[in-house]
Amino acid sequence: MSEPRMVEVRRKILKENDLLARSLRERFRSAGVQVISLVSSPGSGKTTLLERLLTDLGREYRVAALVGDLATENDAARLARSGAPVKQITTGTICHLDAGMIDRALSDWRLEDLDFLFIENVGNLVCPSSFDLGENLRVVLVSTTEGEDKPLKYPTIFNTADAAVVTKLDLADAVAFDLAALTRNIQGVRPGMPILQVSTRIGRGIAELELFLVSQRTAQAAARAV
Amino acid sequence: MSEPRMVEVRRKILKENDLLARSLRERFRSAGVQVISLVSSPGSGKTTLLERLLTDLGREYRVAALVGDLATENDAARLARSGAPVKQITTGTICHLDAGMIDRALSDWRLEDLDFLFIENVGNLVCPSSFDLGENLRVVLVSTTEGEDKPLKYPTIFNTADAAVVTKLDLADAVAFDLAALTRNIQGVRPGMPILQVSTRIGRGIAELELFLVSQRTAQAAARAV
């Protein structure tokens, strides 16, 4: 297999994805729905956090979620306990969601009926970075237990995200987590990126994160109205 | 981009990898070196565990390591503190090592001078599963903080591994880790796979793991002698 041939195939796939993502973004915009995607390593706490966000934001807003995994419908079942509409996307052996999967999953949902749509990507710090899903906000989660070096080792996923959320704050002391080092490493690859901190276990930082997401939606709605 | 074309490209790459992995395995066999690869999510503790294994096993055996990351030479620098020869493989945007990278990294090492060669793959629970590196033993790490459902969501990586190591045992209580559930999920996708448990922080289970790796080497050497 020649390398240039592979690169060419990859480029073509990415280009098709970007075109579809652009049309999704336009549909989201005109429907007035704020679309937030979550990316992280497996086990960083995406689903646990999302369950909480759907429950909390669902009291005031119309929320829904798409959730990607290679296999199982477990996460959709978990998230559906929040009462929000949830759809599982199983990718088989593919290590990321793409715009086509989002497009197909949304085919029988009315976007106008939603205020927030969350997309939980496959747990992976590499593959999802290259695939625009048309989201308004990409949030990268990194847990205190993963090590402060992750932004340096996986720069692209941090570079393509709009905000970072540090999860599992309740374990920070147990693992001698160094927030200053993580912050420095995040800012090194993505200067200026907002960094929030949460623990779903002890309920810390959740309100601040929700406020951040709501304010982002308000700001984007204001920008659209101009 | 047509799906069948992409599948065909992918199949060809995998086939070339498998042929090269087969020749690597034959070289490892004739040199008498036991090759152990480590796969896991980012932040499961591969490098920390490997640093310990190189230090401990290095007292009695000739050990070396190759370590894969998208970016940075940090892990090689960390592991080199053990005194063992260590080489970093940086993959750029590629989410796994492949047999060609291993082959090139080994070009100036004499395999006959080694008893154990460790290969630390890129932190990823998806991509590495499809790429045989010619290793004798593939070990999948899963930390207590990642959630017990990972074998169900990433079945292929567990299915292609030969042993599982549960890491960060010292955090088990803090996260209400359920060993029985994880064991059930591992055995569900890979019946009979040995499961070991360690904490590098409090030094638990390390001796048992090292004994396991040494016994695997002895058993494979015996099989070769038959």
Side-chain angles (χ1 to χ4, degrees):
Chain A
M1 185 68 213
S2 69
E3 282 292 318
R5 175 74 195 119
M6 189 58 198
V7 169
E8 184 198 318
V9 167
R10 191 175 143 80
R11 193 177 297 133
K12 188 152 178 226
I13 289 174
L14 284 175
K15 185 159 181 204
E16 292 189 11
N17 184 81
D18 283 352
L19 291 173
L20 187 49
R22 198 181 302 172
S23 88
L24 279 173
R25 185 169 283 111
E26 177 51 33
R27 280 170 58 200
F28 297 151
R29 195 198 61 77
S30 69
V33 57
Q34 175 81 357
V35 180
I36 299 161
S37 76
L38 304 181
V39 295
S40 80
S41 303
S44 296
K46 287 185 298 303
T47 313
T48 306
L49 179 61
L50 187 47
E51 191 175 355
R52 180 68 189 264
L53 294 177
L54 291 175
T55 304
D56 290 355
L57 294 174
R59 295 198 187 99
E60 282 190 58
Y61 300 92
R62 299 166 302 171
V63 298
L66 302 177
V67 49
D69 274 304
L70 273 72
T72 83
E73 303 264 332
N74 297 355
D75 280 2
R78 244 173 97 185
L79 294 173
R81 294 189 306 217
S82 68
V86 177
K87 202 178 280 191
Q88 180 86 42
I89 302 174
T90 50
T91 63
T93 60
I94 299 173
C95 50
H96 59 85
L97 295 176
D98 64 30
M101 296 176 196
I102 303 300
D103 186 42
R104 284 189 295 279
L106 292 176
S107 61
D108 56 352
W109 278 2
R110 266 179 52 88
L111 292 174
E112 291 73 14
D113 294 343
L114 295 177
D115 298 313
F116 285 99
L117 171 66
F118 290 92
I119 302 175
E120 181 185 336
N121 217 315
V122 176
N124 202 299
L125 281 187
V126 185
C127 319
S129 59
S130 310
F131 290 83
D132 184 1
L133 305 178
E135 67 267 63
N136 303 107
L137 194 77
R138 184 180 290 188
V139 178
V140 59
L141 275 62
V142 55
S143 66
T144 56
T145 60
E146 284 173 64
E148 298 80 2
D149 60 345
K150 294 301 161 290
L152 303 180
K153 292 171 132 194
Y154 304 89
T156 313
I157 198 101
F158 284 86
N159 204 259
T160 59
D162 304 295
V165 174
V166 181
T167 61
K168 307 193 189 182
L169 260 198
D170 52 300
L171 297 176
D173 288 344
V175 298
F177 171 67
D178 184 345
L179 176 64
L182 179 65
T183 301
R184 197 166 52 241
N185 292 340
I186 290 175
Q187 299 295 339
V189 297
R190 182 76 156 91
M193 178 151 74
I195 303 175
L196 294 102
Q197 303 173 55
V198 302
S199 164
T200 48
R201 182 175 299 270
I202 59 171
R204 193 164 138 209
I206 305 289
E208 289 81 352
L209 173 59
E210 291 168 354
L211 198 63
F212 174 78
L213 298 178
V214 169
S215 70
Q216 289 283 319
R217 177 171 183 270
T218 310
Q220 297 199 1
R224 280 197 295 273
V226 173
Chain B
M1 184 68 212
S2 71
E3 282 292 317
R5 174 75 194 119
M6 189 57 198
V7 169
E8 184 197 319
V9 168
R10 191 176 144 81
R11 191 179 295 133
K12 185 146 180 237
I13 289 174
L14 284 175
K15 184 156 182 207
E16 291 188 13
N17 184 80
D18 283 351
L19 290 173
L20 187 50
R22 200 182 299 172
S23 88
L24 280 174
R25 186 169 282 113
E26 176 52 31
R27 280 169 58 201
F28 297 151
R29 196 197 62 76
S30 68
V33 56
Q34 176 80 356
V35 181
I36 298 162
S37 76
L38 304 181
V39 294
S40 80
S41 302
S44 297
K46 288 186 296 304
T47 313
T48 306
L49 180 61
L50 187 48
E51 191 174 355
R52 180 69 189 264
L53 294 177
L54 291 175
T55 304
D56 290 355
L57 293 175
R59 294 198 189 97
E60 282 190 60
Y61 300 92
R62 300 167 301 172
V63 298
L66 302 177
V67 49
D69 274 305
L70 273 71
T72 83
E73 304 263 333
N74 297 356
D75 281 1
R78 243 173 98 184
L79 294 173
R81 296 190 304 217
S82 69
V86 176
K87 203 177 281 191
Q88 180 86 44
I89 303 173
T90 49
T91 64
T93 59
I94 300 174
C95 50
H96 59 85
L97 295 176
D98 65 32
M101 297 177 197
I102 303 300
D103 187 42
R104 285 190 293 280
L106 291 176
S107 62
D108 56 353
W109 278 3
R110 267 178 52 86
L111 292 175
E112 291 73 13
D113 295 343
L114 296 177
D115 299 313
F116 284 98
L117 171 66
F118 290 91
I119 302 173
E120 182 185 335
N121 217 315
V122 176
N124 201 299
L125 281 186
V126 184
C127 320
S129 59
S130 310
F131 289 83
D132 185 2
L133 305 178
E135 68 266 63
N136 303 108
L137 195 76
R138 183 179 290 187
V139 178
V140 59
L141 274 63
V142 56
S143 67
T144 55
T145 58
E146 285 173 63
E148 299 81 1
D149 60 345
K150 293 300 161 290
L152 303 179
K153 290 171 133 193
Y154 304 89
T156 313
I157 198 98
F158 284 85
N159 204 259
T160 60
D162 303 295
V165 174
V166 181
T167 60
K168 307 193 188 181
L169 260 196
D170 52 299
L171 297 176
D173 288 345
V175 297
F177 171 66
D178 184 346
L179 177 63
L182 178 65
T183 302
R184 197 165 52 240
N185 291 341
I186 290 176
Q187 299 294 338
V189 295
R190 182 74 157 89
M193 179 150 74
I195 304 174
L196 293 102
Q197 302 173 57
V198 302
S199 165
T200 48
R201 182 174 298 269
I202 59 171
R204 193 164 138 207
I206 304 289
E208 290 82 351
L209 173 60
E210 290 168 354
L211 198 64
F212 173 78
L213 298 178
V214 169
S215 70
Q216 289 282 319
R217 177 171 183 269
T218 310
Q220 298 199 359
R224 281 198 294 273
V226 172

